Amino acid sequence: MARRNHAAMAQHSRRTFIQGSALSLALATPAASALAAVVKPKGFRLGVNLAGAEFAMIGGRWNWPSLDNLNYYLAKGFNVFRVPFKWNRLQTQIMAPLDATALAGLDQIVATATAAGAVVLLDAHDYGRRDKQIIADTDSPVTAAMFADFWGRMAARYRANPLVWYNLMNEPHDQSAQANIAAQNAACAAIRAAGARSKVLFSGTAWTGAHSWMTTANATATLQMVDPLDNFAFDAHQYLDRGYGGGTLNAIPGVGAHILQAITDWGRANRRQVFIGEFASGPTPPSLSELNDLLHFMVSNKDVFIGATYFAGGGTWGNNMGSADPVGGVDKPQTLLLQRYLKY
């Protein structure tokens, strides 16, 4: 989730989101059939994060999202799914083969979603770290080459599928811009060396917040990120509550219509494109109004914004006030609003 520029707020925001209580739902209708439809994306891809596998070992309470949950969104026409995971869950030993058992669930998600024409965005949900060590930082035991090895192996596994995209790192923070650049440039080069040609998403530091893009190193440092195939965009996150952390999901009045303006101007001036990998709102009418304005802004600026994934689906926390998952067969108002923008 996007946050203010310090870890305490970040962790509080994440936990608040996961553990939030359910609210009564407005604008609800019966949930769609679980049978997946073949989606027909236009210029702007819209979907959800299929969250769940990024919090603990694969298995137990946290697991890969179920295919039933994925099919719910496919049946509604959503056409991109960001799938978070931990690097050390899929490659338990650095510079070693991937864990085929852990990857089995991801393989099923990829096969189901892409068969329907949807993109699967593979998301290393590690905040610029492995086992609390900053990747590629000075004197860090985790090097850029190690990170590149992981992504090279992932690309070798999925390179034949052009609908698999690569989101190199979720929300790097409290680290140097140069470490972030070194890690992600090495990863992108390894993906291309493995033969994958589909979209790569680079992330900025400072939680890759869209709202702070121009007031952090991201405005200049991310211009040093390089894709040998020139098929890339930037992953930026944007919540609408005070602090932009996603903790309360009560949107700031007027925020939706303007919060992305600065990064839009930056993207247009530098010929860069942006994917909003995380965004959300609560279910109250004022918050939904701001969510609507945010969506309208993105689709009105498709030369910069190539798509977005709401946080979150996945089937684990349907009762949470910000989740897009249905509860008891009843659609969330946020999901119904998102559906209106699938025509773009």
Side-chain angles (χ1 to χ4, degrees), residues 72-73 76 78 324-325 331-339:
Y72 165 79
Y73 291 107
K76 287 184 168 297
F78 291 105
D325 286 337
D331 293 328
K332 291 289 185 67
Q334 295 97 318
T335 306
L336 297 175
L337 177 56
L338 290 168
Q339 276 190 275

Side-chain angles (χ1 to χ4, degrees), residues 5-331:
N5 299 333
H6 53 84
M9 169 61 76
Q11 294 302 321
H12 175 73
S13 297
R14 173 73 75 182
R15 296 305 172 193
T16 301
F17 178 75
I18 293 171
Q19 297 170 3
S21 60
L23 296 182
S24 58
L25 302 179
L27 307 176
T29 63
S33 165
L35 297 177
V38 176
V39 297
K40 298 180 180 179
K42 297 185 180 180
F44 180 86
R45 285 187 178 268
L46 183 60
V48 299
N49 285 260
L50 297 180
E54 72 272 33
F55 291 101
M57 295 298 291
I58 304 303
R61 179 182 176 189
W62 301 107
N63 211 328
W64 295 111
S66 72
L67 295 185
D68 284 347
N69 184 263
L70 169 60
N71 284 332
Y72 165 79
Y73 291 107
L74 285 172
K76 287 184 168 297
F78 291 105
N79 53 51
V80 58
F81 300 94
R82 184 171 181 257
V83 184
F85 52 77
K86 290 292 187 187
W87 169 14
N88 64 6
R89 308 313 190 218
L90 303 189
Q91 188 184 40
T92 56
Q93 298 296 319
I94 287 177
M95 306 289 279
L98 301 175
D99 185 333
T101 300
L103 279 160
L106 181 58
D107 288 344
Q108 289 184 319
I109 291 170
V110 168
T112 301
T114 61
V119 160
V120 172
L121 185 53
L122 305 179
D123 164 42
H125 213 81
D126 290 283
Y127 306 95
R129 291 154 171 78
R130 179 179 169 119
D131 300 327
K132 300 182 180 181
Q133 300 293 324
I134 296 173
I135 303 164
D137 202 14
T138 303
D139 299 325
S140 173
V142 184
T143 66
M146 293 171 179
F147 186 55
D149 174 79
F150 167 71
W151 273 118
R153 293 174 190 271
M154 290 291 284
R157 189 178 188 91
Y158 296 111
R159 63 190 171 197
N161 194 330
L163 292 176
V164 174
W165 295 3
Y166 303 90
N167 189 172
L168 300 177
M169 179 54 63
N170 177 71
E171 295 184 352
H173 66 90
D174 297 296
Q175 64 187 85
S176 73
Q178 289 307 310
N180 189 46
I181 292 165
Q184 294 192 50
N185 277 349
C188 184
I191 287 169
R192 299 313 186 202
R197 303 181 63 84
S198 55
K199 190 79 70 181
V200 167
L201 297 189
F202 294 107
S203 299
T205 54
W207 310 97
T208 204
H211 63 279
S212 62
W213 201 263
M214 301 306 296
T215 58
T216 64
N218 291 334
T220 54
T222 56
L223 298 177
Q224 299 177 46
M225 292 174 167
V226 178
D227 174 13
L229 292 186
D230 199 31
N231 184 20
F232 69 97
F234 289 92
D235 172 46
H237 297 178
Q238 190 57 63
Y239 291 87
L240 302 175
D241 57 331
R242 297 194 183 280
Y244 307 112
T248 68
L249 296 174
N250 294 319
I252 304 167
V255 69
H258 69 78
I259 196 63
L260 295 179
Q261 186 64 61
I263 197 172
T264 302
D265 294 342
W266 172 87
R268 198 165 283 141
N270 292 285
R271 298 185 180 182
R272 298 294 193 268
Q273 292 184 312
V274 177
F275 185 96
I276 299 297
E278 292 186 17
F279 67 103
S281 90
T284 64
S287 290
L288 291 173
S289 178
E290 298 305 328
L291 178 60
N292 181 69
D293 286 348
L294 185 77
L295 288 161
H296 184 266
F297 187 95
M298 287 190 280
V299 300
S300 298
N301 293 278
K302 289 190 291 184
D303 60 316
V304 173
F305 296 101
I306 62 172
T309 42
Y310 186 89
F311 201 92
T316 301
W317 43 62
N319 286 331
N320 182 276
M321 62 180 282
S323 172
D325 286 337
V327 175
V330 178
D331 293 328

